[in-house]
């Protein structure tokens, strides 16, 4: 998972899935609301393309995600699913855990 944060820091962005109106959220077995994120658009597309017309990978600059998205996710009581593939999450992080790991990766970059 460390590599995921290194890639995001190196590229300066992460990817989510959605359309012009909504971003895709999922739930885990514990019924937690999760925002799936990926370090590459290609992987996001492989996981989701064709599910719903008009949905696509959306690039979010890492600094914008930290500044604008994390506060909104906190209001939505959501956690983050890192690099979900075939219905398995590499890991699920709380917003604070995500912020700490992403901030550290950005500093190292």
């Amino acid at each position: 998972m460390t590599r995921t944060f290194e890639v995001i820091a190196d590229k300066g962005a992460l990817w989510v899935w959605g359309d012009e109106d909504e971003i895709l959220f999922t739930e885990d077995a514990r019924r937690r609301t999760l925002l799936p994120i990926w370090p590459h658009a290609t992987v996001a597309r492989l996981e989701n393309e064709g599910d719903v017309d008009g949905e696509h990978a959306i690039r979010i600059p890492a600094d914008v995600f930290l500044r604008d998205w994390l506060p909104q996710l906190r209001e939505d009581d959501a956690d983050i699913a890192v690099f979900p593939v075939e219905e398995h999450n590499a890991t699920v992080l709380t917003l604070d855990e995500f912020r700490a790991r992403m901030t550290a990766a950005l500093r190292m970059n």
Side-chain angles (χ1 to χ4, degrees), residues 3 10 16-18 21 26 34 38 52 78 80 94 97 99 109:
R3 182 71 184 131
D10 183 52
V16 297
W17 190 258
D21 298 318
T26 62
L34 304 173
W38 294 270
V52 177
I80 297 176
T94 66
E97 291 168 330
R99 179 184 297 281
N109 190 20

Side-chain angles (χ1 to χ4, degrees), residues 5-22:
F5 286 97
E6 290 171 355
V7 169
I8 293 170
D10 183 52
K11 295 183 180 281
L14 56 84
W15 296 85
V16 297
W17 190 258
D19 61 22
E20 303 312 315
D21 298 318
E22 292 185 8

Side-chain angles (χ1 to χ4, degrees), residues 8-94:
I8 293 170
D10 183 52
K11 295 183 180 281
L14 56 84
W15 296 85
V16 297
W17 190 258
D19 61 22
E20 303 312 315
D21 298 318
E22 292 185 8
I23 299 300
L24 172 76
F25 284 83
T26 62
E27 280 188 350
D28 65 5
R30 294 171 43 199
R31 303 203 40 94
R32 289 182 294 183
T33 299
L34 304 173
L35 174 67
I37 62 115
W38 294 270
H40 304 285
T42 304
V43 181
R45 278 193 291 272
L46 288 172
E47 283 303 303
N48 297 291
E49 203 160 51
D51 288 350
V52 177
D53 285 343
E55 288 187 348
H56 56 278
I58 300 169
R59 181 183 185 276
I60 309 296
D63 61 331
V64 171
F65 190 85
L66 291 173
R67 183 186 67 235
D68 299 340
W69 285 60
L70 287 185
Q72 182 60 49
L73 290 170
R74 189 170 307 284
E75 286 182 24
D76 294 338
D77 195 29
D79 290 325
I80 297 176
V82 178
F83 210 127
V85 178
E86 296 180 8
E87 298 184 21
H88 299 309
N89 303 318
T91 193
V92 172
L93 298 175
T94 66

